[in-house]
Amino acid sequence: MIKLNNICKTYHAGGQPIKAADGISLEIADGEMVAVIGASGAGKSTVLKIIGLTEKPESGEYILDGKNVTECSDKKSALLRNEKISFIMQDFALINQFTVMENAELPLLLAKKKMPARLRRKKAEEALSAVGISELKDRKISELSGGQKQRVAIARALVSDADIILADEPTGALDSKTGAGIIELLRSLNEKGTTVIIVTHDMNIAAQCKRVIEIKDGKIANNA
Amino acid sequence: MTLALRSLKKQWASFLIIAVQIAVCFAVTAYTLSSVFQQYDIVLSANGAHKGYLYLNSDPNKLDEILASDENSGRPDLESVKEEYFAKNNITDPSTLTEQQWDEFYAFFYEKDAEYMEKAHYKGKYLYEDLFAALNDSGCISEIHYNAALGTSTVLIDEYLLKNVRLSNADISPLFEPTEDENHYYALMYPWMTDENAPSADSPPYKVGDIITERTYNLKEHRYDTFTIEIVGELSDPAYAFPMNEFSATEAELEGFFLSPQSISVSGMLIALKKDSFNYMDYMNGRPSYIMAKLADGITDEQYDKLLSVIDECGFAAVNLDEAEENTIAKITAFVSENSVILISSLLLTVFSVIAVSILSGSKTRREYAVYKLCGMSRAGLTRLTAVKWLIIFTAAVTAGSLLAAVYLNIIGEKPGYLLYGAIAAAVMFAVLYALSLLMSYYSSVKSLKAYESGEWEGDL
């Protein structure tokens, strides 16, 4: 369960304060598939970053699985990201010089509980197989298409058994057919119980989610 | 560690370049520092024994002037004697001369040379007596040591000089302790023997206990004599002594005299005891080659100047070893100053290399670190990763640099004895650079994360 209470966050651009989050409160239950929509600069990515514990709010409260994580340490935030949260980004967030396998096993390599290399690779192979790219495991990221890269990112999420997937414009760099395939993969993960939160401009993608939250000027304009 | 090694492996080319740069810079720094340490260590430790000593040479130029002012002409040279001999014996084609005829010619030449030498050494004896008196009159002599080359590779000395000729901390081998109750002459033997008794490259070097024969020219009788010498000890390495080639230095050459490690450091110096009894001064016809005089404590400038004046009149060149010490310090300072340019340059090059690589690999590193952070690496973890990566690079570079410096020293034939100190000092400097590069790399990597946190999410992870 994700619960944000009256979250505020202000950025400064060109000396001017910009309220990216202005008293945002919302709840996302486990296993939901939620689309966060809004115009550029509305504050939707800020909400995603706060949920992903890569950013702290100035005020307000963030409750994750019943625990207040608003002020938790960098170390604790990193641990939660490693064990509970996965990111799927528009630019894929992969390390280009690493192979597909090496990218996929990254969360396991960074896990607090160390895992033997053989087991790591086995889990990564299973995840790559689940997203249909096991044959590409030894390829470098730079040799893959956009759709294949995004599948690697999803495989990475699968490897860590993340409870929450945060997807920021996951199809933004893909053609519509490939994008549809990615959304389908996310849907299938959601059906298995993973909470999926997608930030998107694309209303077609939003329509495939069970719930849509619209953010406007740092506030929730619609939560249906 | 796994991630650090993987990261290095994936970007091995760029890291190899920086490692090679650091290695070369480290080698240059270590070599330069070791050279500086060597200069200071050898020369300064040697200087400690110099206080109050005056080093006198019989100046051949001055002696010639003095001799020429008498009825004597200069020393006969081989070619002019040849012309005279050939004319006298009606020899038109020297290539037809038999071996026996050549022997007769050389006997003729040595006879003429001996005539000159006898006069010169008579004069030398006279001058020496003047000098001896002047030194005594000046009240600035506690001991006077005379010695001369015996053969081409040994120097005869008495017990006192044997104890004091060592200019620094070289120890006499415990196998040998000079006695004080007998008037023995010892020989300091250079390991590179050049006379007919010298061991060949294939024969083992002389060692303590060996009894050898040594040939030298008898200046009084004008003939070669053979002496028996027993090697009774050795000076521990490195021994410091005046180089033999300084024996006939002129006043001009002694001006600015300084003690360089190359000229005063001798390795494998042997101590030999002259077995035959003889009166050395009589044998040498009273002609000293060089003298070391210990100046009286508190000698005034006036006394010193007067002494120098007498020394000059007697055809000697002298250098005060206190002044030599000043010259030496000046030389070292100049050396350090010259090398500091190389030293500073190599350090700057290293700094710029690290900066350049940090900047060039910055975008790759930023992206890589941002991904690590998203996947659950803390800032402390990122710092550790950076530290391990650079530690591997620096360790490899420093190791390679040390080997490089050692190989270079080996190629140029220098002993790498001081390299360890140079490498340690360089390692300290490079540890500071490592810390600096770590900070830079960390700053570079977290910069993007800060940017990420300040809202520059879109399109720039």
Side-chain angles (χ1 to χ4, degrees), chain A residues 156-220:
Chain A
R156 191 173 65 191
L158 287 174
V159 158
S160 63
D161 292 325
D163 298 330
I164 302 163
I165 290 178
L166 303 177
D168 192 357
E169 301 284 4
T171 60
L174 307 175
D175 61 64
S176 56
K177 189 181 170 188
T178 311
I182 295 299
I183 295 300
E184 193 49 46
L185 262 175
L186 292 175
R187 275 171 63 90
S188 69
L189 288 175
N190 175 248
E191 281 166 10
K192 289 172 187 167
T194 307
T195 305
V196 177
I197 302 170
I198 305 173
V199 165
T200 183
H201 287 100
D202 190 335
M203 294 312 291
N204 289 330
I205 292 171
Q208 294 179 61
C209 296
K210 296 168 188 167
R211 183 175 157 201
V212 176
I213 298 171
E214 185 183 0
I215 296 179
K216 192 175 180 183
D217 298 331
K219 293 180 177 171
I220 292 181

Side-chain angles (χ1 to χ4, degrees), chain B residues 296-308:
Chain B
D297 291 337
I299 184 172
T300 64
D301 288 346
E302 195 180 331
Q303 281 176 304
Y304 183 67
D305 291 342
K306 188 180 172 188
L307 177 62
L308 288 183

Side-chain angles (χ1 to χ4, degrees), chain A residues 11 45 49 54-55 74 78 81-82 87 89 91 93-95 97-98 102 105-106 109-110 156 168, chain B residues 2-3 6-7 10-11 367-368 371-380 452-455 457-458 461:
Chain A
Y11 294 122
S45 290
K49 283 189 275 182
T54 59
E55 187 149 358
D74 179 66
R81 278 198 302 277
N82 181 257
F87 292 82
M89 314 297 290
D91 70 350
L94 299 170
I95 299 174
Q97 59 268 31
F98 283 14
E102 287 165 343
E105 68 170 358
L106 203 50
L109 203 60
L110 299 176
R156 191 173 65 191
D168 192 357
Chain B
T2 309
L3 211 50
R6 182 177 290 177
S7 182
K10 299 293 177 181
Q11 299 175 63
R367 183 178 179 85
E368 191 180 322
V371 174
Y372 292 150
K373 175 153 181 159
L374 289 182
C375 290
M377 187 179 268
S378 64
R379 284 197 174 189
Y452 162 76
E453 289 169 3
S454 64
W457 172 284
E458 316 286 348
L461 180 65

Side-chain angles (χ1 to χ4, degrees), chain B residues 353-425:
Chain B
S353 300
V354 171
I355 291 170
V357 169
S358 297
I359 291 169
L360 289 173
S361 64
S363 60
K364 270 187 184 176
T365 308
R366 277 199 293 275
R367 183 178 179 85
E368 191 180 322
Y369 280 29
V371 174
Y372 292 150
K373 175 153 181 159
L374 289 182
C375 290
M377 187 179 268
S378 64
R379 284 197 174 189
L382 290 174
T383 308
R384 279 198 298 275
L385 176 68
T386 308
V388 170
K389 273 166 70 173
W390 281 102
L391 187 63
I392 291 169
I393 293 168
F394 266 82
T395 305
V398 163
T399 306
S402 300
L403 288 174
L404 196 63
V407 168
Y408 176 69
L409 285 175
N410 192 40
I411 289 170
I412 63 173
E414 276 192 30
K415 287 183 179 178
Y418 292 87
L419 184 61
L420 178 64
Y421 303 116
I424 290 170

